[in-house]
Amino acid sequence: MKKIIILIICLFLLTGCYDYQELNDINIIDGISIDYKDDEYIVTLEMIKSSKDESGNSITTNTITEKDKILANAFNKVINNSSKKAYFKHVDLLLLSKSVAKKGIDDIVDYMIRDVSMSSTFFTVITDNPEDIFNIKIENDSPSKLVVDTITANVNPNSIDNIDIIASNIVNRRIDIALPYIEKVEENIKVEKIAYFKDSKMIDTYDNNIYNLIMLKSNTIDFSNENNVINIYKSEIKYEISKNKIKININGFGKVKKVNKDLNLEEKDSYELVEKAINKKIKEEVEDFLKTTLDNDSDLLGLKDKYYKKYGKEKNYLPYEVDVKITLNRNGAIYGAIHD
Amino acid sequence: MLYERLKKDFNNNNDLKHKSINNVHVVYLESICSSDAINEYILQNLTIGKEYYFLKNIVSGPNVIYVSDYNSIKDYIMGGFALVYNDEDILVCECKANLFRSVSTPTSEPSVNGPKDSFNENIQMNLGLIRRRIRTEKLVTEEFSIGRKTKTQVSLLYVSDIAKKKHVKEVKSRLKKIDIDGLIDIESLHSYIGNKNSTLPTLMKTERPDKVCTSLLEGKIVLIADNSPYALIMPAFFADFINPQGDQYVKAININFLKILRFLCLIITITLPALYVAVMDYNQESIPLNLILSLQSARSGVPFPSAFEAIFMIILCSILRESDIRFPSNYGSSISILGALILGEAAVAANITSPILIIVISVTFISGLIFNSGDLIDGLRMYRFFLLFMAIIFGLYGLVLGLIMILIHALSLETFGEPYFYPIAPFDKTYLFKTILKNNKDNKRSKLLSNNEYKVKP
């Protein structure tokens, strides 16, 4: 009994409170940006704070920046510069500059997944100049939150890769990563492109829409062709892998949002015309996307991985064929065509 | 001669009265005997004739007993009997004064549904309230006298063809072992026949005759004592304390939501302050960013650590609750006003505490007050403090560790040889639907409490 009491006393006196941190003694970090200029990493932390005023609670942000040739040192410096203990468990956004992405993000990913105090559920985003994004003036919210909201507005948030998946894809080397590419437009954010990578290095950017369709990232995508606007609300992708070819079948359902003036949707053939036109357009776009990325040796769909899993062999180049079949909704009564 | 001896033994007490008419002596304790009854049963008859050789023909009370033993004469006198003797016979006649209040409504277990009568301090009246409901000769009452000085009458009740013999035997053996000076209230028996090693109650105290009868019909055993307005029901399991008797009278489909809600309250009342401290001091990652920001701004002016703040507020609320119970209600509602002002307004304005903690503590206490067993509330208070200290030292990890420790302790408890967490562990569907949940079928008894399983033969 004495031993147990001594053990309990030791437990309480020696082990307790080791990670104690009072809520008011921490700086909550909402976003991190990493830039690379003149052979130095520039790390900026965006701290979010809520304060009481006459109109209620208001959210304010401020940033601190430090630079060093070694990423970990830059982080250490910026953490030490923070007035209170920097708290990384609520980081929503990791903003990487184009320059650092082109240099390679493997050391950044390595640092992020190794640091136990870091959250692992943030979004990683590429931009031209991270400083511009953190300088956006936004009332009662933080720029990081604005970026996250804009990205997740049209994309299923669960489909966005977190740092663990990015790390695993970089290490795996058979599936390449693509990250959202954001641009600042006045005091707002625009997400129209993705930045695609070969291993850990960014190659270039490409249109967001077609990537979202083939990666099934979004539940609703608009496609336009000759004044016809089709909204695809459900899609699936199937791969038929044979020794010499990979066939990519994209099937889905769409609804007509807007059609050409010459078309009358009351006529049965009109739907088929629109369907044919839009399927052709999507097929061309997908083929172009695949050609562009695969020519740059960036395999976003993981075609090589799929082939390897089926045949146990690696193959550098695989011919592919794309088949698109989007079926338009014909249900319900449409009184007259929906024109401009 | 007998009177002289009694007077000496009673230390010349003034309330020991003696009357002698026509060579018949009447001795009684004035304070506990009704003078009307003495007059009607004894004295009136004595003044009619001259000489009486057969006392039995004179004393007309309903309860007249011949006695020969001197010690039992003293016991009868102290029990409200009048001693009547002449040279030939000695007898006692019951002339108890009615020192008891009438049957009133339950105060500690109020209910919207069901009967509105409750026990009072008269054991015979309490027995009557039970017998009125269970009209069978199988309802056994065995009497015990407990307390060397008080000689309190304690009745053990069970239905002989329902209750298990081993439970009856166990209770009897525990009662026989009691050797104390006085049993003033039946609650004192808790420490002699209940489980001493736990803060949780293992005997159920009730003032409702309907609850006692329901328990008797399930195979439980009941103790009632003279001068005590409560009955003790045993064995009592943890699940019995959560739900009130009023649930019996409501449709199953409607009451199950409330039953689940009560379990939720049980969890809230023991864990919420600990959860608050764990989240504020250790595990900030477990709550959404927007909430953490508002918590941070609400606590911005408070100079104390949240652990100290939580302990301070719990102690303050416990003081308020205790003073509210002790303070006579006819002094007005000053305690409530003081409490509301100090806790609700001034403490926040003076930056002693944050508004969020006021909400946490209020929810904790309100959740705890839905249970009407004072013993359970006291037990839960201990667990609340234990979990709070675990959370102060180890955060959420400590809270979970503490909960596991509580669970291990509670699961290892026994009440009269039966597992305390029955019907959850060991699982029993029949008793589960009598306590934790309710269904419309009530045709079986729990196997643990009765060998006579079927209420209605299938």
Side-chain angles (χ1 to χ4, degrees):
Chain A
M1 193 65 196
K2 266 184 191 170
K3 279 180 194 167
I4 294 170
I5 292 169
I6 291 168
L7 205 70
I8 291 170
I9 291 170
C10 287
L11 198 75
F12 276 69
L13 292 179
L14 301 176
T15 65
C17 316
Y18 83 98
D19 55 350
Y20 168 83
Q21 53 189 13
E22 195 64 44
L23 186 59
N24 290 73
D25 297 338
I26 54 174
N27 272 336
I28 298 168
I29 311 296
D30 191 22
I32 304 169
S33 85
I34 302 172
D35 199 353
Y36 191 75
K37 270 179 199 163
D38 306 328
D39 285 345
E40 280 189 318
Y41 285 101
I42 304 164
V43 176
T44 307
L45 302 183
E46 183 196 64
M47 293 174 294
I48 187 166
K49 202 171 118 185
S50 171
S51 50
K52 270 188 251 177
D53 57 17
E54 287 157 3
S55 59
N57 281 3
S58 64
I59 290 170
T60 50
T61 57
N62 60 322
T63 55
I64 41 171
T65 306
E66 282 297 335
K67 51 187 170 183
D68 198 284
K69 286 190 173 165
I70 300 165
L71 180 71
N73 285 352
F75 260 102
N76 284 345
K77 277 185 184 175
V78 78
I79 289 166
N80 291 339
N81 264 5
S82 164
S83 55
K84 295 174 185 174
K85 188 183 175 188
Y87 185 70
F88 290 97
K89 290 282 182 189
H90 276 292
V91 172
D92 277 341
L93 181 72
L94 172 64
L95 206 54
L96 302 176
S97 73
K98 204 170 167 181
S99 56
V100 85
K102 292 231 170 191
K103 183 188 167 287
I105 60 167
D106 39 4
D107 49 351
I108 296 171
V109 173
D110 183 59
Y111 181 85
M112 290 290 171
I113 58 169
R114 276 176 204 281
D115 190 347
V116 286
S117 67
M118 193 71 69
S119 150
S120 62
T121 53
F122 51 80
F123 294 146
T124 310
V125 172
I126 311 291
T127 187
D128 229 3
N129 188 4
E131 208 178 312
D132 287 350
I133 306 292
F134 280 166
N135 283 340
I136 292 175
K137 294 275 172 286
I138 172 169
E139 205 176 308
N140 228 358
D141 213 341
S142 70
S144 299
K145 187 89 189 332
L146 176 72
V147 172
V148 170
D149 288 348
T150 316
I151 294 170
T152 52
N154 291 319
V155 178
N156 183 1
N158 297 331
S159 72
I160 297 175
D161 299 341
N162 64 24
I163 197 79
D164 294 334
I165 295 172
I166 293 171
S168 126
N169 285 354
I170 288 175
V171 174
N172 183 339
R173 286 174 180 271
R174 287 203 194 93
I175 305 171
D176 288 303
I177 53 168
L179 298 171
Y181 185 86
I182 59 167
E183 288 160 292
K184 184 185 172 191
V185 182
E186 292 170 356
E187 287 300 298
N188 217 332
I189 304 286
K190 197 173 78 177
V191 196
E192 287 182 348
K193 291 176 182 169
I194 50 125
Y196 61 93
F197 284 67
K198 164 64 190 159
D199 297 337
S200 66
K201 287 182 180 154
M202 178 184 155
I203 307 291
D204 207 348
T205 58
Y206 199 87
D207 176 44
N208 204 8
N209 230 8
I210 202 79
Y211 173 74
N212 285 343
L213 176 76
I214 60 170
M215 294 303 281
L216 309 174
K217 297 260 179 196
S218 176
N219 296 332
T220 165
I221 305 167
D222 283 354
F223 272 95
S224 56
N225 179 31
E226 297 165 1
N227 280 343
N228 302 331
V229 180
I230 304 297
N231 176 261
I232 299 170
Y233 62 87
K234 191 178 175 186
S235 57
E236 58 172 15
I237 185 162
K238 279 181 186 165
Y239 299 93
E240 286 173 27
I241 303 159
S242 61
K243 283 222 163 170
N244 303 319
K245 198 165 50 174
I246 288 189
K247 198 174 173 196
I248 302 161
N249 297 317
I250 301 170
N251 298 324
F253 293 95
K255 53 193 174 193
V256 178
K257 269 188 150 179
K258 202 173 94 179
V259 286
N260 206 331
K261 276 181 183 173
D262 309 333
L263 282 170
N264 182 4
L265 285 183
E266 284 174 333
E267 290 168 13
K268 202 181 170 186
D269 297 344
S270 306
Y271 272 106
E272 280 166 19
L273 280 174
V274 178
E275 258 175 16
K276 265 186 190 171
I278 205 78
N279 282 341
K280 195 182 162 201
K281 171 88 186 321
I282 293 172
K283 188 181 171 183
E284 282 168 8
E285 284 193 18
V286 171
E287 280 173 345
D288 182 59
F289 171 76
L290 287 172
K291 189 177 179 315
T292 315
T293 52
L294 288 172
D295 282 356
N296 283 304
D297 208 14
S298 172
D299 186 2
L300 300 180
L301 288 176
L303 298 178
K304 287 175 200 163
D305 184 56
K306 287 182 175 63
Y307 185 85
Y308 178 79
K309 276 180 183 160
K310 183 153 184 185
Y311 294 108
K313 281 184 212 163
E314 300 229 3
K315 202 165 188 179
N316 278 336
Y317 179 74
L318 273 167
Y320 54 86
E321 188 186 315
V322 179
D323 187 27
V324 180
K325 196 184 172 193
I326 303 292
T327 313
L328 293 182
N329 259 2
R330 289 175 171 81
N331 297 346
I334 299 171
Y335 299 103
I338 310 156
H339 294 297
D340 277 341
Chain B
M1 191 66 187
L2 185 57
Y3 170 65
E4 294 303 322
R5 193 175 165 194
L6 281 169
K7 198 177 175 185
K8 196 179 163 195
D9 282 356
F10 276 83
N11 293 323
N12 294 323
N13 267 341
N14 282 337
D15 62 345
L16 187 75
K17 296 291 175 193
H18 172 242
K19 273 198 188 313
S20 177
I21 301 167
N22 293 335
N23 207 26
V24 177
H25 302 272
V26 182
V27 182
Y28 60 94
L29 276 172
E30 194 182 19
S31 50
I32 54 170
C33 288
S34 158
S35 50
D36 289 345
I38 288 172
N39 203 27
E40 189 182 334
Y41 300 152
I42 307 162
L43 298 180
Q44 270 182 7
N45 305 340
L46 286 177
T47 50
I48 296 166
K50 284 181 181 175
E51 290 276 332
Y52 300 95
Y53 297 104
F54 300 106
L55 282 180
K56 202 181 164 189
N57 298 339
I58 310 161
V59 180
S60 61
N63 196 2
V64 179
I65 306 159
Y66 279 99
V67 281
S68 51
D69 176 24
Y70 178 70
N71 281 335
S72 53
I73 290 174
K74 279 199 291 188
D75 289 345
Y76 277 118
I77 289 176
M78 283 182 289
F81 283 70
L83 172 71
V84 187
Y85 68 93
N86 61 8
D87 298 338
E88 304 293 324
D89 291 325
I90 303 173
L91 53 81
V92 287
C93 169
E94 188 176 345
C95 299
K96 276 179 195 166
N98 188 10
L99 298 174
F100 305 99
R101 62 193 166 96
S102 59
V103 175
S104 55
T105 52
T107 49
S108 60
E109 294 168 83
S111 169
V112 181
N113 312 302
K116 298 280 184 282
D117 54 348
S118 72
F119 291 131
N120 64 11
E121 286 76 9
N122 185 346
I123 189 168
Q124 294 305 331
M125 209 181 273
N126 294 348
L127 268 173
L129 289 174
I130 297 167
R131 279 221 183 268
R132 239 173 60 179
R133 287 174 167 87
I134 304 177
R135 296 177 189 193
T136 167
E137 72 285 0
K138 304 279 186 193
L139 175 64
V140 181
T141 57
E142 289 184 28
E143 287 196 5
F144 294 83
S145 175
I146 293 176
R148 285 168 180 238
K149 295 275 187 283
T150 58
K151 294 191 173 59
T152 311
Q153 183 191 344
V154 174
S155 285
L156 171 77
L157 283 89
Y158 58 93
V159 182
S160 60
D161 59 346
I162 298 176
K164 275 194 175 177
K165 296 280 178 290
K166 72 166 187 180
H167 291 151
V168 178
K169 209 172 146 190
E170 178 68 30
V171 177
K172 275 189 198 170
S173 78
R174 289 190 193 189
L175 280 176
K176 279 174 189 163
K177 280 180 197 162
I178 299 171
D179 184 16
I180 48 173
D181 256 6
L183 181 72
I184 305 301
D185 189 86
I186 198 158
E187 281 186 68
S188 317
L189 286 182
H190 251 291
S191 47
Y192 297 102
I193 57 175
N195 191 325
K196 302 175 188 79
N197 301 325
S198 172
T199 57
L200 291 173
T202 49
L203 301 174
M204 179 176 274
K205 187 183 86 175
T206 181
E207 58 169 347
R208 294 183 67 104
D210 54 334
K211 193 170 189 171
V212 165
C213 294
T214 313
S215 304
L216 284 171
L217 293 176
E218 286 305 324
K220 292 191 180 183
I221 296 154
V222 173
L223 282 179
I224 52 173
D226 203 11
N227 303 316
S228 178
Y230 290 101
L232 287 184
I233 303 169
M234 60 211 73
F237 306 105
F238 184 72
D240 294 333
F241 292 93
I242 309 294
N243 296 305
Q245 177 68 17
D247 286 5
Q248 297 282 332
Y249 315 116
V250 186
K251 273 185 186 173
I253 197 164
N254 297 336
I255 204 68
N256 278 333
F257 171 74
L258 286 180
K259 280 177 177 270
I260 294 164
L261 198 71
R262 288 187 199 117
F263 261 87
L264 193 67
C265 287
L266 175 81
I267 294 164
I268 288 173
T269 194
I270 62 170
T271 58
L272 199 59
L275 193 65
Y276 171 80
V277 171
V279 163
M280 295 298 263
D281 285 354
Y282 290 92
N283 303 89
Q284 288 94 351
E285 71 278 4
S286 54
I287 45 175
L289 182 61
N290 285 345
L291 180 61
I292 211 168
L293 286 173
S294 64
L295 289 177
Q296 205 179 32
S297 95
R299 263 190 59 77
S300 58
V302 182
F304 309 115
S306 41
F308 174 81
E309 196 191 351
I311 295 173
F312 172 73
M313 284 303 293
I314 289 185
I315 291 176
L316 200 64
C317 281
S318 302
I319 292 170
L320 271 169
R321 186 170 170 265
E322 192 58 19
S323 57
D324 210 18
I325 294 168
R326 306 275 169 245
F327 203 61
S329 57
N330 49 5
Y331 276 78
S333 53
S334 49
I335 293 287
S336 316
I337 294 164
L338 267 176
L341 275 178
I342 290 171
L343 295 179
E345 284 290 327
V348 175
N351 272 345
I352 290 172
T353 181
S354 60
I356 190 85
L357 185 66
I358 301 277
I359 299 170
V360 167
I361 299 296
S362 312
V363 172
T364 304
F365 272 80
I366 290 167
S367 305
L369 292 175
I370 68 152
F371 309 108
N372 49 26
S373 162
D375 299 325
L376 182 70
I377 294 173
D378 293 345
L380 294 181
R381 190 194 299 133
M382 296 301 289
Y383 287 154
R384 188 185 300 144
F385 271 108
F386 171 66
L387 288 180
L388 181 62
F389 282 111
M390 289 299 280
I392 287 170
I393 296 166
F394 299 113
L396 271 185
Y397 164 73
L399 173 60
V400 175
L401 192 71
L403 277 174
I404 292 171
M405 284 161 83
I406 289 175
L407 212 59
I408 291 170
H409 165 72
L411 284 170
S412 60
L413 278 180
E414 282 192 348
T415 165
F416 292 87
E418 306 296 354
Y420 188 56
F421 253 56
Y422 180 80
I424 301 168
F427 182 76
D428 179 39
K429 197 179 155 194
T430 313
Y431 201 64
L432 183 91
F433 280 106
K434 288 176 193 291
T435 50
I436 295 165
L437 294 170
K438 193 183 176 191
N439 65 2
N440 290 323
K441 272 192 207 165
D442 189 19
N443 58 349
K444 276 170 94 180
R445 289 186 192 94
S446 139
K447 279 181 191 166
L448 202 85
L449 292 169
S450 175
N451 293 327
N452 189 354
E453 199 186 337
Y454 286 97
K455 288 185 178 177
V456 184
K457 288 281 179 201

Coordinates of all heavy atoms in Angstrom, one line a residue, chain A residues 105-150:
Chain A
I105 N 9.2 21.2 -52.4 CA 8.6 21.4 -51.1 C 8.9 20.2 -50.2 O 8.3 20.1 -49.1 CB 7.0 21.6 -51.3 CG1 6.4 20.4 -51.9 CG2 6.7 22.8 -52.0 CD1 4.9 20.4 -51.8
D106 N 9.8 19.4 -50.6 CA 10.0 18.2 -49.7 C 10.5 18.5 -48.3 O 10.1 17.9 -47.3 CB 10.9 17.1 -50.4 CG 12.0 17.8 -51.2 OD1 12.2 19.0 -51.1 OD2 12.8 17.0 -51.8
D107 N 11.4 19.5 -48.2 CA 11.9 19.9 -46.9 C 10.8 20.5 -46.0 O 10.8 20.4 -44.8 CB 13.2 20.7 -46.9 CG 13.1 21.9 -47.9 OD1 12.0 21.9 -48.6 OD2 13.9 22.8 -47.9
I108 N 9.9 21.3 -46.7 CA 8.8 21.9 -45.9 C 7.9 20.9 -45.4 O 7.5 20.9 -44.2 CB 8.1 22.9 -46.9 CG1 9.0 24.0 -47.3 CG2 6.8 23.5 -46.2 CD1 8.5 24.9 -48.3
V109 N 7.5 19.9 -46.3 CA 6.6 18.8 -45.9 C 7.3 18.0 -44.8 O 6.6 17.7 -43.8 CB 6.3 18.0 -47.1 CG1 5.5 16.7 -46.7 CG2 5.5 18.7 -48.1
D110 N 8.5 17.8 -44.9 CA 9.3 17.0 -43.9 C 9.2 17.7 -42.5 O 8.9 17.1 -41.5 CB 10.7 16.9 -44.4 CG 11.6 16.1 -43.4 OD1 11.2 14.9 -43.2 OD2 12.5 16.6 -42.8
Y111 N 9.4 19.0 -42.6 CA 9.4 19.8 -41.3 C 8.0 19.8 -40.7 O 7.8 19.6 -39.5 CB 9.8 21.3 -41.6 CG 9.8 22.1 -40.3 CD1 10.9 22.1 -39.5 CD2 8.7 22.9 -40.0 CE1 10.9 22.9 -38.3 CE2 8.7 23.6 -38.8 CZ 9.8 23.6 -38.0 OH 9.8 24.4 -36.8
M112 N 7.0 19.9 -41.5 CA 5.6 20.0 -41.0 C 5.1 18.7 -40.4 O 4.5 18.7 -39.4 CB 4.7 20.4 -42.2 CG 4.8 21.8 -42.7 SD 4.2 22.9 -41.5 CE 4.8 24.5 -42.1
I113 N 5.5 17.6 -41.1 CA 5.0 16.3 -40.5 C 5.8 15.8 -39.3 O 5.4 15.1 -38.5 CB 4.9 15.2 -41.5 CG1 6.2 14.9 -42.2 CG2 3.8 15.5 -42.5 CD1 6.1 13.6 -43.0
R114 N 7.0 16.4 -39.2 CA 7.9 15.9 -38.0 C 7.5 16.7 -36.8 O 7.8 16.3 -35.7 CB 9.3 16.1 -38.4 CG 9.9 14.9 -39.1 CD 11.3 15.1 -39.5 NE 11.7 14.3 -40.6 CZ 11.9 13.0 -40.6 NH1 11.9 12.4 -39.4 NH2 12.2 12.4 -41.7
D115 N 7.0 18.0 -36.9 CA 6.8 18.8 -35.8 C 5.5 18.4 -35.1 O 4.4 18.5 -35.6 CB 6.7 20.3 -36.3 CG 6.7 21.2 -35.1 OD1 6.5 20.7 -33.9 OD2 6.8 22.4 -35.3
V116 N 5.6 17.9 -33.9 CA 4.4 17.3 -33.2 C 3.5 18.4 -32.7 O 2.3 18.2 -32.5 CB 4.8 16.5 -31.9 CG1 5.4 15.2 -32.3 CG2 5.8 17.3 -31.0
S117 N 4.0 19.7 -32.6 CA 3.1 20.7 -32.2 C 2.3 21.3 -33.3 O 1.4 22.1 -33.1 CB 3.9 21.9 -31.5 OG 4.7 22.5 -32.5
M118 N 2.5 20.7 -34.5 CA 1.8 21.3 -35.7 C 0.5 20.5 -36.0 O 0.5 19.3 -35.9 CB 2.8 21.2 -36.9 CG 2.4 21.9 -38.1 SD 2.6 23.7 -37.9 CE 4.3 23.9 -37.8
S119 N -0.5 21.3 -36.4 CA -1.7 20.6 -36.9 C -1.4 19.9 -38.2 O -0.5 20.2 -38.9 CB -2.8 21.7 -37.1 OG -3.6 21.3 -38.1
S120 N -2.2 18.9 -38.5 CA -2.0 18.2 -39.8 C -3.2 18.3 -40.7 O -3.2 17.6 -41.7 CB -1.7 16.7 -39.5 OG -2.8 16.1 -38.9
T121 N -4.1 19.2 -40.4 CA -5.3 19.2 -41.2 C -5.4 20.5 -42.0 O -6.5 20.8 -42.4 CB -6.6 19.1 -40.3 OG1 -6.4 20.0 -39.2 CG2 -6.7 17.7 -39.7
F122 N -4.3 21.2 -42.1 CA -4.4 22.5 -42.9 C -4.4 22.3 -44.4 O -4.0 21.2 -44.8 CB -3.3 23.4 -42.4 CG -2.0 22.8 -42.5 CD1 -1.3 22.7 -43.7 CD2 -1.3 22.4 -41.3 CE1 0.0 22.2 -43.8 CE2 -0.1 21.8 -41.4 CZ 0.6 21.7 -42.6
F123 N -4.9 23.3 -45.1 CA -4.8 23.2 -46.6 C -3.5 23.8 -47.0 O -3.0 24.8 -46.5 CB -5.9 24.1 -47.2 CG -7.3 23.5 -46.9 CD1 -8.4 24.4 -46.7 CD2 -7.5 22.2 -46.8 CE1 -9.7 23.9 -46.5 CE2 -8.8 21.6 -46.6 CZ -9.8 22.5 -46.4
T124 N -2.9 23.2 -48.0 CA -1.6 23.7 -48.6 C -2.0 24.4 -49.9 O -2.6 23.7 -50.7 CB -0.6 22.6 -48.7 OG1 -0.5 21.9 -47.5 CG2 0.7 23.1 -49.1
V125 N -1.6 25.6 -50.1 CA -2.0 26.4 -51.2 C -0.8 27.1 -51.8 O 0.2 27.5 -51.1 CB -3.0 27.4 -50.8 CG1 -3.4 28.4 -51.9 CG2 -4.3 26.7 -50.3
I126 N -0.7 27.2 -53.1 CA 0.4 27.9 -53.8 C -0.1 29.3 -54.3 O -1.3 29.4 -54.7 CB 0.9 27.1 -55.0 CG1 1.1 25.6 -54.7 CG2 2.1 27.7 -55.6 CD1 2.2 25.3 -53.8
T127 N 0.7 30.3 -54.2 CA 0.4 31.6 -54.7 C 1.7 32.3 -55.2 O 2.8 31.8 -54.9 CB -0.3 32.4 -53.6 OG1 -0.8 33.6 -54.2 CG2 0.6 32.8 -52.4
D128 N 1.5 33.4 -55.9 CA 2.6 34.1 -56.4 C 3.4 34.8 -55.3 O 4.6 34.6 -55.1 CB 2.1 35.1 -57.4 CG 2.9 35.0 -58.7 OD1 3.7 34.1 -58.8 OD2 2.6 35.8 -59.6
N129 N 2.7 35.6 -54.5 CA 3.3 36.3 -53.5 C 2.5 36.2 -52.2 O 1.5 36.8 -52.0 CB 3.4 37.8 -53.9 CG 4.3 38.6 -52.9 OD1 4.8 38.0 -52.0 ND2 4.4 39.9 -53.1
P130 N 2.9 35.4 -51.2 CA 2.2 35.1 -50.0 C 1.9 36.4 -49.2 O 0.9 36.5 -48.5 CB 3.0 34.2 -49.2 CG 4.0 33.6 -50.1 CD 4.2 34.6 -51.2
E131 N 2.8 37.3 -49.3 CA 2.7 38.6 -48.5 C 1.4 39.3 -48.9 O 0.7 39.8 -48.0 CB 3.9 39.5 -48.8 CG 4.3 40.4 -47.7 CD 5.5 41.2 -48.0 OE1 6.5 40.6 -48.5 OE2 5.5 42.4 -47.8
D132 N 1.1 39.3 -50.2 CA -0.1 40.0 -50.7 C -1.3 39.4 -50.0 O -2.3 40.1 -49.7 CB -0.2 39.8 -52.2 CG 0.8 40.7 -52.9 OD1 1.4 41.5 -52.2 OD2 0.9 40.5 -54.1
I133 N -1.4 38.1 -49.9 CA -2.6 37.4 -49.4 C -2.8 37.8 -47.9 O -3.9 38.1 -47.5 CB -2.4 35.9 -49.5 CG1 -2.1 35.5 -50.9 CG2 -3.7 35.1 -48.9 CD1 -3.2 35.7 -51.9
F134 N -1.7 37.7 -47.1 CA -1.8 38.1 -45.7 C -2.1 39.5 -45.4 O -2.5 39.9 -44.3 CB -0.5 37.6 -44.9 CG -0.5 36.2 -44.6 CD1 0.7 35.5 -44.1 CD2 -1.7 35.4 -44.7 CE1 0.7 34.2 -43.8 CE2 -1.6 34.0 -44.4 CZ -0.5 33.4 -44.0
N135 N -1.9 40.3 -46.5 CA -2.1 41.8 -46.3 C -3.6 42.2 -46.7 O -3.9 43.3 -46.6 CB -1.2 42.6 -47.2 CG 0.2 42.7 -46.5 OD1 0.3 42.4 -45.3 ND2 1.2 42.9 -47.3
I136 N -4.4 41.2 -47.1 CA -5.8 41.5 -47.5 C -6.5 42.0 -46.3 O -6.4 41.4 -45.2 CB -6.5 40.3 -48.1 CG1 -5.9 39.9 -49.4 CG2 -8.0 40.5 -48.2 CD1 -6.4 38.6 -50.0
K137 N -7.2 43.1 -46.5 CA -7.9 43.7 -45.3 C -9.3 43.1 -45.3 O -10.1 43.3 -46.3 CB -8.0 45.2 -45.5 CG -6.7 45.9 -45.4 CD -6.3 46.2 -43.9 CE -4.9 46.7 -43.8 NZ -3.8 45.8 -43.9
I138 N -9.7 42.5 -44.3 CA -11.0 41.8 -44.3 C -11.6 42.0 -42.9 O -10.9 41.8 -41.9 CB -10.8 40.3 -44.7 CG1 -12.1 39.6 -44.4 CG2 -9.7 39.6 -43.9 CD1 -12.1 38.2 -45.0
E139 N -12.8 42.4 -42.8 CA -13.4 42.8 -41.6 C -13.8 41.5 -40.8 O -14.5 40.6 -41.3 CB -14.6 43.6 -41.8 CG -14.9 44.5 -40.6 CD -16.1 45.5 -40.9 OE1 -16.0 46.2 -42.0 OE2 -17.0 45.5 -40.1
N140 N -13.5 41.5 -39.5 CA -13.9 40.4 -38.6 C -13.5 39.0 -39.1 O -14.3 38.1 -38.8 CB -15.4 40.6 -38.3 CG -15.6 40.5 -36.8 OD1 -14.7 40.3 -36.0 ND2 -16.8 40.6 -36.4
D141 N -12.5 38.9 -39.8 CA -12.1 37.5 -40.2 C -10.6 37.6 -40.6 O -10.0 38.7 -40.7 CB -12.9 37.1 -41.4 CG -13.1 35.6 -41.4 OD1 -12.4 34.9 -40.7 OD2 -14.1 35.1 -42.0
S142 N -10.0 36.4 -40.8 CA -8.6 36.4 -41.1 C -8.4 36.1 -42.6 O -9.3 35.4 -43.2 CB -7.9 35.4 -40.3 OG -8.2 34.1 -40.7
P143 N -7.4 36.6 -43.2 CA -7.1 36.2 -44.6 C -7.0 34.7 -44.9 O -7.5 34.2 -45.9 CB -5.8 36.9 -44.9 CG -5.7 38.0 -44.0 CD -6.4 37.6 -42.7
S144 N -6.4 34.0 -43.9 CA -6.3 32.5 -44.0 C -7.7 31.9 -44.1 O -8.0 31.0 -44.9 CB -5.6 31.9 -42.8 OG -4.3 32.4 -42.7
K145 N -8.6 32.4 -43.3 CA -10.0 31.9 -43.3 C -10.7 32.2 -44.7 O -11.4 31.3 -45.2 CB -10.8 32.6 -42.2 CG -12.1 32.0 -41.9 CD -12.1 30.9 -40.9 CE -13.3 30.1 -40.8 NZ -14.6 30.8 -41.0
L146 N -10.4 33.4 -45.2 CA -10.9 33.8 -46.5 C -10.5 32.8 -47.6 O -11.2 32.3 -48.4 CB -10.5 35.2 -46.8 CG -11.0 35.7 -48.2 CD1 -12.5 36.0 -48.2 CD2 -10.2 37.0 -48.6
V147 N -9.2 32.5 -47.5 CA -8.6 31.6 -48.5 C -9.3 30.2 -48.4 O -9.7 29.6 -49.4 CB -7.1 31.4 -48.3 CG1 -6.5 30.3 -49.2 CG2 -6.4 32.8 -48.6
V148 N -9.4 29.7 -47.2 CA -10.0 28.4 -46.9 C -11.4 28.4 -47.4 O -11.9 27.4 -48.1 CB -9.9 28.0 -45.4 CG1 -10.7 26.8 -45.1 CG2 -8.4 27.8 -45.1
D149 N -12.2 29.4 -47.1 CA -13.6 29.5 -47.5 C -13.7 29.5 -49.0 O -14.6 28.9 -49.6 CB -14.2 30.7 -46.9 CG -14.5 30.6 -45.4 OD1 -14.3 29.4 -44.9 OD2 -14.8 31.6 -44.7
T150 N -12.8 30.3 -49.7 CA -12.9 30.4 -51.1 C -12.6 29.0 -51.8 O -13.3 28.6 -52.7 CB -11.9 31.4 -51.7 OG1 -12.0 32.6 -50.8 CG2 -12.2 31.8 -53.1

